[in-house]
Amino acid sequence: MKMASNRVCSRSGFWVAFLVLLGSSCSEGQMVPAVFVFGDSLVDVGNNNYLPVSFAKADFPHNGIDFPTHKPTGRFSNGKNAADFIAEKLGLPTSPPYLALIANSSRSNSSSPFLTGVSFASGGAGIFDGTDEKYHQSITLTEQVDYFFAVHENLVQHMGSSGAQKHVAKSPFVIVIGSNDIFGYSGSSNTRKQHTPQQYVNLMASSLKDQLKVPAFLKISLTRSFRNSEFLWQRLHSYDARKFVFAGLGPIGCCPSQRNHNKTATCKEDTNSWARMYNAALLAMLKGLKSELKDISYSYLDTYTVLQNFIRNPSAYGFTEVKAACCGLGTLNAKVACLPISKYCTNRRDHVFWDLYHPTEAADRILIDKVFHGFPQYAYPMDVQQLAAVEA
């Protein structure tokens, strides 16, 4: 990861003022002022480390074995994850975990610690706040957005209202979430009785749309099971968010935990079907949303097709193992999670999956290579690099 100081906007007081004057100018090689990340464990870079009670943590071996420090970081990976690679390609350091910045903050700082972005992503989170209602082990999506409001206020304090508005409007909001909602649907017979798969995924997608565009004084009536972050995207939009990166769901029925449901270790096709249904609903929602909110731009990432290509034609991407997890115990290394007592493979580059649910660093690196630029079949209506270049 390139973190050299000449690739990021300086944090000194002089340059904060300079940023305000130039509308968040950035150093050479840096495409955007900042990256704000929301989501689940696929892009969590350590927020859950700071939760007082949570089993959804990755701050222990063998996680992080291939990270530059060779130590666990809170990423559910052997090394870097998708959030790291997106930031790297945009010429920025990885957006640090919000809870880490707060824990280590100093009131005497002359500049904002959030100038190049921040991550609110939390392992276990879902679109619906009730996704983690049983264990309360994650930062809900509502809380993630509330934390962003505090960040926005901090930026206003340091840059002024106009400077903060320009800074945020030029910065992409990366949203990687939804897998846990599908897993929750799969594991809840009550939910499946109440909602057909199509109804459920439509509710997931329509929630995002309604929350982005409805007036703040209105209320959305949702069943108690699906309490979520009311007016989530409307609130982000009202706080100057204009560029969005929405990642579709991958073929999550093919991750080792789901293959273990079948004696033949084949993919769990009902789960994959629901993921595809959600992706179609999300993409349709985004197309409609753009026609209603003219000032937003977005990139939809077809992660399903990219990861499916890894699984169907692994040798083309340098993989030899697409079923088993690298780290774990039992059948497919998926009976027991990646814990210090677990065994792990010697060549992580061969594996698509690191643990029961998450891709390896190698898989994430290739995934972001495909969706970032140069492969229009994997990003709609523009790729991430093109989104970064959109004037805001």
Side-chain angles (χ1 to χ4, degrees), residues 176-232:
V176 181
I177 201 162
S179 296
N180 291 321
D181 299 282
I182 296 296
F183 287 138
Y185 182 77
S186 176
S188 173
S189 59
N190 287 336
T191 304
R192 293 196 304 275
K193 290 177 182 177
Q194 294 172 5
H195 300 271
T196 68
Q198 190 64 59
Q199 289 172 338
Y200 185 80
V201 300
N202 285 347
L203 181 58
M204 289 171 65
S206 65
S207 293
L208 299 183
K209 178 180 179 181
D210 290 343
Q211 293 158 7
L212 177 58
K213 66 178 290 290
V214 297
F217 60 84
L218 295 179
K219 294 290 182 182
I220 302 172
S221 177
L222 296 173
T223 64
R224 186 179 179 186
S225 314
F226 298 125
R227 283 180 301 160
N228 61 346
S229 46
E230 294 182 359
F231 322 119
L232 174 65

Side-chain angles (χ1 to χ4, degrees), residues 310-325:
F310 294 173
I311 293 167
R312 289 181 173 178
N313 189 18
S315 62
Y317 302 94
F319 298 113
T320 59
E321 177 57 68
V322 301
K323 295 182 179 181

Side-chain angles (χ1 to χ4, degrees), residues 77-88:
S77 172
N78 59 302
K80 300 176 182 178
N81 67 22
D84 296 300
F85 293 123
I86 290 175
E88 183 177 294

Side-chain angles (χ1 to χ4, degrees), residues 23-37:
S24 305
S25 296
C26 297
S27 59
E28 184 178 356
Q30 184 176 327
M31 298 182 188
V32 294
V35 179
F36 300 102
V37 182

Side-chain angles (χ1 to χ4, degrees), residues 6-264:
N6 65 338
R7 288 179 61 88
V8 300
C9 297
S10 171
R11 296 190 179 192
S12 69
F14 171 81
W15 284 107
V16 170
F18 190 67
L19 281 170
V20 175
L21 292 174
L22 293 187
S24 305
S25 296
C26 297
S27 59
E28 184 178 356
Q30 184 176 327
M31 298 182 188
V32 294
V35 179
F36 300 102
V37 182
F38 301 79
D40 55 29
S41 56
L42 293 173
V43 284
D44 187 349
V45 293
N47 272 309
N48 280 19
N49 293 356
Y50 295 85
L51 296 179
V53 179
S54 177
F55 292 109
K57 292 187 178 183
D59 57 347
F60 49 80
H62 307 285
N63 297 298
I65 190 171
D66 296 312
F67 199 74
T69 61
H70 304 292
K71 294 180 180 180
T73 63
R75 292 164 175 80
F76 295 77
S77 172
N78 59 302
K80 300 176 182 178
N81 67 22
D84 296 300
F85 293 123
I86 290 175
E88 183 177 294
K89 285 183 171 293
L90 290 169
L92 287 164
T94 296
S95 300
Y98 175 77
L99 295 185
L101 293 177
I102 296 303
N104 299 311
S105 65
S106 171
R107 291 183 180 274
S108 62
N109 285 346
S110 59
S111 61
S112 171
F114 309 117
L115 282 180
T116 59
V118 61
S119 172
F120 309 98
S122 173
I127 291 175
F128 304 121
D129 285 356
T131 301
D132 192 33
E133 192 169 26
K134 183 177 181 180
Y135 298 108
H136 300 286
Q137 297 175 14
S138 65
I139 307 169
T140 68
L141 202 49
T142 297
E143 292 169 329
Q144 292 183 34
V145 175
D146 287 343
Y147 288 154
F148 170 72
F149 297 159
V151 168
H152 188 279
E153 181 180 354
N154 180 275
L155 291 172
V156 170
Q157 291 174 354
H158 285 86
M159 306 177 72
S161 179
S162 177
Q165 186 277 324
K166 293 177 182 178
H167 191 83
V168 172
K170 292 179 179 180
S171 302
F173 284 63
V174 178
I175 298 126
V176 181
I177 201 162
S179 296
N180 291 321
D181 299 282
I182 296 296
F183 287 138
Y185 182 77
S186 176
S188 173
S189 59
N190 287 336
T191 304
R192 293 196 304 275
K193 290 177 182 177
Q194 294 172 5
H195 300 271
T196 68
Q198 190 64 59
Q199 289 172 338
Y200 185 80
V201 300
N202 285 347
L203 181 58
M204 289 171 65
S206 65
S207 293
L208 299 183
K209 178 180 179 181
D210 290 343
Q211 293 158 7
L212 177 58
K213 66 178 290 290
V214 297
F217 60 84
L218 295 179
K219 294 290 182 182
I220 302 172
S221 177
L222 296 173
T223 64
R224 186 179 179 186
S225 314
F226 298 125
R227 283 180 301 160
N228 61 346
S229 46
E230 294 182 359
F231 322 119
L232 174 65
W233 308 116
Q234 186 274 338
R235 292 194 294 161
L236 283 179
H237 183 264
S238 70
Y239 276 73
D240 305 321
R242 294 297 181 269
K243 296 183 180 184
F244 296 92
V245 176
F246 286 90
L249 301 185
I252 57 178
C254 293
C255 63
S257 68
Q258 300 298 292
R259 287 182 183 271
N260 255 351
H261 289 276
N262 298 321
K263 293 182 179 179
T264 57

Side-chain angles (χ1 to χ4, degrees), residues 278-299:
Y278 169 71
N279 289 343
L282 174 62
L283 186 54
M285 179 274 284
L286 291 173
K287 290 178 180 178
L289 184 63
K290 174 60 178 174
S291 68
E292 298 167 19
L293 295 175
K294 304 296 185 182
D295 60 347
I296 70 165
S297 298
Y298 72 89
S299 176

